[in-house]
Amino acid sequence: MSERKSFFDSYYHTLDTLSFEKGAKGVPLRTKPEGKYSLFTDIPLPAAVVSETAITHNAHWMQRFANQSEVLLAPHGKTTMSPQLFKAQIEQGAWGLTLATPAQAQVAAEAGAKRIILANQIVGLANINAVLDIIEHYRIEVYPCIDSQYLAEQWQSAANARNLQVTMLVELGVPGGRCGCRTHEQVKALAEYIAHSSHLQFAGIEFYEGVIHAEHESDDVEPAVREFISGAVTLAESLITLSALDKPIVTGAGSAWYDVVAEAFTGKTRLTTIIRPGCYLIHDDGIYLEAQNAVMERAQRDGSTACRLDGDLVSALTLYAHVISVPEKDKAIIGLGKRDVAFDAGLPKAIRLYRDGQPLPLPELTSTDIMDQHLFLEVMQEDTLQVGDILVFSTSHPCLTFDKWRYIGVETEPDTITKWITTYF
């Protein structure tokens, strides 16, 4: 086993270190001495599976991208919410982790994160105190985001009551987007308020460019994205004197425009520049494949970092499921539904077919509809699917598949599980 593979291997659970609770899905019914579990015979289906090789490749690919772009990486953990993957990302070189809620942040802290960006508005005294509990108990750096003076006042009051210091990021948003101050003047006023508060410290600027969309599908949104990011960086530089940090933070980037954000951060040596993609670790064959293809097209066009790395991101997640009914000659029903797989950004796509454990040529199949426990397939050729066949599916938007599984098998050999990752959604 290579050193790289061995590094990631140490974070996964084998069955002798993990007890499955009753009712858990996608896990074996009994242990086997050799610790190998066939997806054809040993594990009740459906089952969610990740490829160890693909995850290892994706993790190193993005860390190399960050290193060569001279930016820090704080992956968004909401994609996997898996402590095993958090630990691996941190020890591999991630500056910290990004999360969205206090509960998610606690999972990250337990996994060993020393720096957490809360890229969301944390509202309500109970939520604020939950974050303060993390700061106090784990003694780590937590950077909440705010976009209103009301929220700054709430944080100041709660931190004062507990005699804690909180480093705050001000969120810059876009018109028509989601959270975030809509003007640079609002950001500056809020930064000044924080800087003059007794228990708050202004840490810098946070933004998310992924909410910028073209008015018409045929429009090129890239110029608008670049203009917004450039403005955010200029704004962060203009507020350096308000920060208690030696190098204030400017942070942005989801999984679609991280290359453009990293490019805008180039040479900004007075700032701590951090990108926050999340879905890269699992990737997919849908919306994030499309986004990554656009990244690579820009890299080829501009000669930028992504095209100088070995290979590209690959999809790591599949789902195994049975054909449970063939009620009509052109229709098959699969034991896989909304409770098991994402469906918001496209239906699962069949990519492999097995019968009695042996691979068969994949016929032309189209996913047409999905219900709680059933996926509908249109079958183009008669008599190509039988009840009991096993189909393997790729997905789009891995976040919304991961959150449906407490345990996800790790495939180290073809169609074989030897260990698991756990999730905490």
Side-chain angles (χ1 to χ4, degrees):
M1 181 180 291
S2 70
E3 182 179 348
R4 176 181 296 179
K5 184 177 181 182
S6 176
F7 178 84
F8 277 84
D9 182 70
S10 65
Y11 291 99
Y12 301 125
H13 285 297
T14 54
L15 201 52
D16 59 355
T17 65
L18 181 66
S19 298
F20 303 122
E21 70 265 21
K22 292 181 179 179
K25 62 180 182 177
V27 298
L29 299 176
R30 54 189 58 85
T31 60
K32 297 177 69 174
E34 69 275 19
K36 294 184 178 182
Y37 300 88
S38 168
L39 283 155
F40 303 138
T41 59
D42 297 323
I43 297 177
L45 304 183
V49 177
V50 291
S51 162
E52 181 179 43
T53 300
I55 285 181
T56 302
H57 167 81
N58 291 346
H60 285 275
W61 191 97
M62 187 59 74
Q63 190 63 56
R64 289 198 308 272
F65 174 87
N67 293 346
Q68 292 191 25
S69 299
E70 298 183 336
V71 297
L72 300 173
L73 178 63
H76 208 312
K78 67 180 175 66
T79 299
T80 68
M81 286 307 300
S82 172
Q84 295 82 36
L85 298 180
F86 289 174
K87 289 177 182 179
Q89 288 172 299
I90 293 164
E91 294 200 18
Q92 167 192 333
W95 172 88
L97 293 172
T98 301
L99 286 308
T101 70
Q104 292 177 358
Q106 185 171 16
V107 175
E110 281 286 333
K114 301 303 181 185
R115 303 182 187 92
I116 295 173
I117 294 174
L118 281 168
N120 196 10
Q121 305 294 308
I122 307 301
V123 178
L125 186 58
N127 281 324
I128 290 173
N129 272 312
V131 176
L132 295 179
D133 285 347
I134 293 170
I135 294 171
E136 188 171 37
H137 178 74
Y138 295 96
R139 301 294 179 181
I140 63 176
E141 299 173 25
V142 181
Y143 299 88
C145 294
I146 60 173
D147 67 1
S148 67
Q149 183 167 323
Y150 168 82
L151 201 48
E153 292 169 354
Q154 294 292 300
W155 277 99
Q156 163 65 16
S157 176
N160 179 55
R162 299 177 60 164
N163 195 30
L164 293 172
Q165 291 288 322
V166 184
T167 46
M168 311 295 300
L169 296 167
V170 178
E171 182 171 3
L172 174 66
V174 298
R178 55 188 195 195
C179 303
C181 299
R182 293 312 195 241
T183 69
H184 288 196
E185 290 73 22
Q186 291 171 336
V187 171
K188 182 178 179 180
L190 196 50
E192 289 176 342
Y193 177 86
I194 295 169
H196 293 99
S197 298
S198 61
H199 286 75
L200 304 180
Q201 295 181 330
F202 173 62
I205 301 297
E206 182 271 345
F207 63 87
Y208 176 58
E209 73 294 335
V211 292
I212 301 174
H213 300 290
E215 184 175 351
H216 304 289
E217 190 173 339
S218 59
D219 293 344
D220 182 7
V221 74
E222 183 179 340
V225 171
R226 288 185 179 276
E227 181 180 6
F228 170 71
I229 296 169
S230 176
V233 173
T234 300
L235 176 62
E237 289 180 312
S238 73
L239 301 176
I240 286 176
T241 57
L242 292 177
S243 180
L245 304 183
D246 292 336
K247 295 176 66 175
I249 291 169
V250 60
T251 176
S255 297
W257 297 99
Y258 63 87
D259 59 319
V260 175
V261 174
E263 182 181 327
F265 287 171
T266 300
K268 304 303 178 182
T269 56
R270 295 190 299 160
L271 297 171
T272 299
T273 53
I274 305 168
I275 59 172
R276 310 190 310 271
C279 286
Y280 72 89
L281 192 64
I282 306 303
H283 202 47
D284 69 11
D285 283 333
I287 57 174
Y288 290 107
L289 174 61
E290 293 176 3
Q292 182 66 10
N293 285 343
V295 169
M296 297 305 287
E297 288 172 6
R298 290 191 292 269
Q300 293 292 340
R301 180 193 69 193
D302 302 334
S304 54
T305 301
C307 69
R308 298 195 296 270
L309 302 175
D310 294 334
D312 198 353
L313 300 178
V314 295
S315 182
L317 175 66
T318 54
L319 289 105
Y320 284 64
H322 283 118
V323 177
I324 63 171
S325 180
V326 186
E328 301 168 17
K329 63 181 181 180
D330 59 351
K331 175 181 285 188
I333 309 300
I334 312 303
L336 181 73
K338 292 180 179 179
R339 304 297 181 94
D340 310 305
V341 65
F343 55 92
D344 64 310
L347 297 179
K349 298 177 183 178
I351 57 173
R352 296 196 299 276
L353 169 63
Y354 297 92
R355 181 173 298 157
D356 300 324
Q358 299 301 313
L360 292 177
L362 185 70
E364 187 176 354
L365 304 171
T366 303
S367 299
T368 59
D369 200 3
I370 192 168
M371 300 178 72
D372 278 3
Q373 311 291 169
H374 302 95
L375 178 68
F376 294 70
L377 291 186
E378 182 180 5
V379 184
M380 303 305 178
Q381 298 95 23
E382 292 184 37
D383 301 323
T384 51
L385 293 184
Q386 297 180 8
V387 173
D389 287 349
I390 292 175
L391 282 165
V392 183
F393 292 87
S394 65
T395 68
S396 181
H397 201 182
C399 310
L400 293 190
T401 295
F402 258 68
D403 69 3
K404 303 176 192 306
W405 296 87
R406 180 71 174 85
Y407 305 101
I408 296 178
V410 180
E411 187 178 37
T412 53
E413 302 174 16
D415 311 305
T416 302
I417 303 300
T418 58
K419 44 206 170 186
W420 282 263
I421 58 173
T422 54
T423 69
Y424 291 82
F425 285 95

